Amino acid sequence: MFTQDPATAGTRPRAGDARRDVNAAAVLRTVLDHGPVARSRVAALTGLSPAAVSRQVVDLTSLGLLRERPEPATPGARAVGRPQLPVDVDTDRIAVAGLHIGLPSTHFAFLDARGNVLHQRELSHRGRTGPAVLRPLLARLPGLLAAVPDGRTVVGLGAVTGGAVDREHGVIVRHDPLGWRDVPLRGLLTEASGLPVHVDNHARALTQAEILFGHPAARRSVVHLFVAHVVDAALAVAGTVHIGPASPTGDVAHLPVPESDALCPCGRTGCLAVAASDTTLFEAAAAEGITERPDRAALVAAVQAGDPRADRLVRRRAEIIGRALALLADVVNPDLLVLTEHFSCLDPAYLDVVRTEFARRSRLRRDAGLVVAQRLGADVLAVAAGTPALGALYARPVHALTS
């Protein structure tokens, strides 16, 4: 059985350090959004003085987060005085590592400072659940981290999974498919890796990735729905991902789906968690003889081969998802709805089914164009895995790299 994590949050920064981090974060985020960009432009966008921006650029460059670009900020312009070299996010010197722990497997990845995937691999759980999932993973982690490409420095480790996750204490409160309760994941991974570890729910992590690197509307307000073996959602307003009391963002898993009679572990029937989950979809495909066993790759192959029975199953789930998104949109009324679901990312036709059902069901009559599929494709789990570490880096860059 797992033991309780004795780790606590980091020490409180001094007032001067906090101000330094606030300014550093403002400069780093501005360069992320606009780079390569001249320092004078960074000053205008952040409201900081040119001298303050220069100090932050020097610090962030020394930490491996920024670099000067060799070309002038305004190519072709006549040089007056000392040329001003633009600065950009340095994607060559550091990396973060990440683990996305799902039901069938764990995805391990390295990301650069812009969230680009440098390397990833999938580690099968071989049907394990409970404590047996983590034991081989913890044993392999040092070797995985040692394979960082290009001699980069690994500055943090992200770890994400579904269910209720206490981000502050790094504990997985509940993950029903894995059979986890109160797993002190941060403490276990810190001991195995020696790195700063940042644990979060995968829907919240992908929402943070959308804010950092994705659709501009996500900076205003966004709802993200994650549909796989676990069904999760996350909400962000004004660039901040919401975390509710007792750590969950909320629980959409038990939204009712009236047309479904699937039995949920909670004792009710027709909960979204079972009506829309990968487990239910793959089992239905096997039960109808579309695939030999409940398996994602086999169902994808059947869909791509044009099997009408496979198409019907996937479309039925797309309609269920569209209804759930309509309800979320009517309750929250966000600027953007992001869907992470394998078949909608695989084929735009299934996203169209989601959008059609969304438009039909939404009482606010919102434009179905606000529903977008996650644009990361095959990299989605890798990016989710590393984003908690990247989010900490962009929120407090000096603290993250010097504490």
Side-chain angles (χ1 to χ4, degrees), residues 114 177 373:
R114 279 194 174 272

Side-chain angles (χ1 to χ4, degrees), residues 62-65 90-97 110-113 118 145-157 195-196 389-390 393 400-401:
S62 70
L63 292 172
L65 291 171
D90 192 330
T91 56
D92 294 331
R93 286 193 283 168
I94 70 166
V96 299
F110 289 112
L111 276 59
D112 69 17
L118 303 170
L145 292 169
V148 59
D150 306 322
R152 297 165 186 262
T153 300
V154 182
V155 298
L157 173 64
L195 291 170
L390 284 176
L393 196 63
L401 295 183

Side-chain angles (χ1 to χ4, degrees), residues 16-393:
D17 293 338
R19 286 194 296 271
R20 181 185 179 202
D21 246 334
V22 168
N23 291 342
V27 170
L28 184 59
R29 283 291 298 269
T30 300
V31 176
L32 173 68
D33 291 343
H34 301 279
V37 60
R39 298 184 192 196
S40 58
R41 179 64 174 156
V42 175
L45 289 167
T46 61
L48 297 172
S49 69
V53 169
S54 290
R55 286 195 299 271
Q56 296 300 334
V57 168
V58 169
D59 285 349
L60 292 168
T61 298
S62 70
L63 292 172
L65 291 171
L66 293 183
R67 62 181 174 184
E68 287 188 330
R69 296 288 294 266
E71 69 271 17
T74 54
R78 182 180 178 182
V80 178
R82 183 183 177 185
Q84 191 175 63
L85 298 178
V87 292
D88 201 358
V89 173
D90 192 330
T91 56
D92 294 331
R93 286 193 283 168
I94 70 166
V96 299
L99 295 165
H100 179 281
I101 305 172
L103 177 61
S105 61
T106 288
H107 281 75
F108 174 82
F110 289 112
L111 276 59
D112 69 17
R114 279 194 174 272
N116 299 308
V117 178
L118 303 170
H119 166 79
Q120 62 177 307
R121 62 182 301 181
E122 184 176 4
L123 310 169
S124 174
H125 295 165
R126 302 184 183 279
R128 303 182 188 98
T129 58
V133 169
L134 278 177
R135 291 189 189 111
L137 182 61
L138 293 170
R140 295 184 64 177
L141 187 56
L144 293 168
L145 292 169
V148 59
D150 306 322
R152 297 165 186 262
T153 300
V154 182
V155 298
L157 173 64
V160 303
T161 191
V165 178
D166 183 342
R167 184 168 74 172
E168 180 181 357
H169 297 96
V171 173
I172 311 304
V173 179
R174 185 188 74 254
H175 189 302
D176 291 331
L178 281 174
W180 282 4
R181 292 290 187 278
D182 298 321
V183 177
L185 187 60
R186 185 175 67 196
L188 295 168
L189 292 176
T190 298
E191 184 177 355
S193 69
L195 291 170
V197 176
H198 307 273
V199 175
D200 209 345
N201 169 276
H202 53 198
R204 287 199 300 246
L206 285 169
T207 303
Q208 183 65 49
E210 197 70 33
I211 292 168
L212 283 172
F213 312 115
H215 199 293
R219 300 278 178 91
R220 299 190 296 273
S221 61
V222 58
V223 169
H224 181 274
L225 182 64
F226 184 98
V227 179
H229 287 286
V230 171
V231 179
D232 278 323
L235 163 69
V237 177
T240 300
V241 180
H242 173 66
I243 302 174
S247 77
T249 296
D251 195 349
V252 301
H254 301 286
L255 289 177
V257 178
E259 294 84 351
S260 172
D261 59 359
L263 180 63
C264 180
C266 76
R268 293 178 292 182
T269 58
C271 292
L272 183 63
V274 290
S277 76
D278 278 358
T279 302
T280 299
L281 180 67
F282 301 158
E283 287 178 351
E288 295 188 23
I290 300 169
T291 59
E292 292 185 3
R293 63 186 185 281
D295 180 75
R296 180 193 304 275
L299 183 56
V300 168
V303 168
Q304 293 177 332
D307 188 322
R309 300 170 299 165
D311 177 71
R312 175 178 51 80
L313 281 181
V314 175
R315 285 177 178 272
R316 183 192 303 161
R317 179 165 83 162
E319 291 172 353
I320 292 171
I321 292 170
R323 293 171 210 154
L325 285 171
L327 179 58
L328 291 172
D330 287 350
V331 171
V332 180
N333 198 18
D335 291 277
L336 184 70
L337 286 161
V338 180
L339 172 63
T340 296
E341 187 270 336
H342 187 80
F343 292 93
S344 297
C345 296
L346 187 69
D347 187 340
Y350 295 120
L351 180 62
D352 288 342
V353 175
V354 172
R355 286 172 166 166
T356 299
E357 189 68 12
F358 169 85
R360 191 167 76 88
R361 298 281 182 158
S362 173
R363 294 185 179 276
L364 290 181
R365 299 290 186 259
R366 294 296 306 276
D367 178 7
L370 72 92
V371 179
V372 300
Q374 180 62 251
R375 294 176 292 176
L376 298 169
D379 291 338
V380 62
L381 298 182
V383 173
T387 292
L390 284 176
L393 196 63

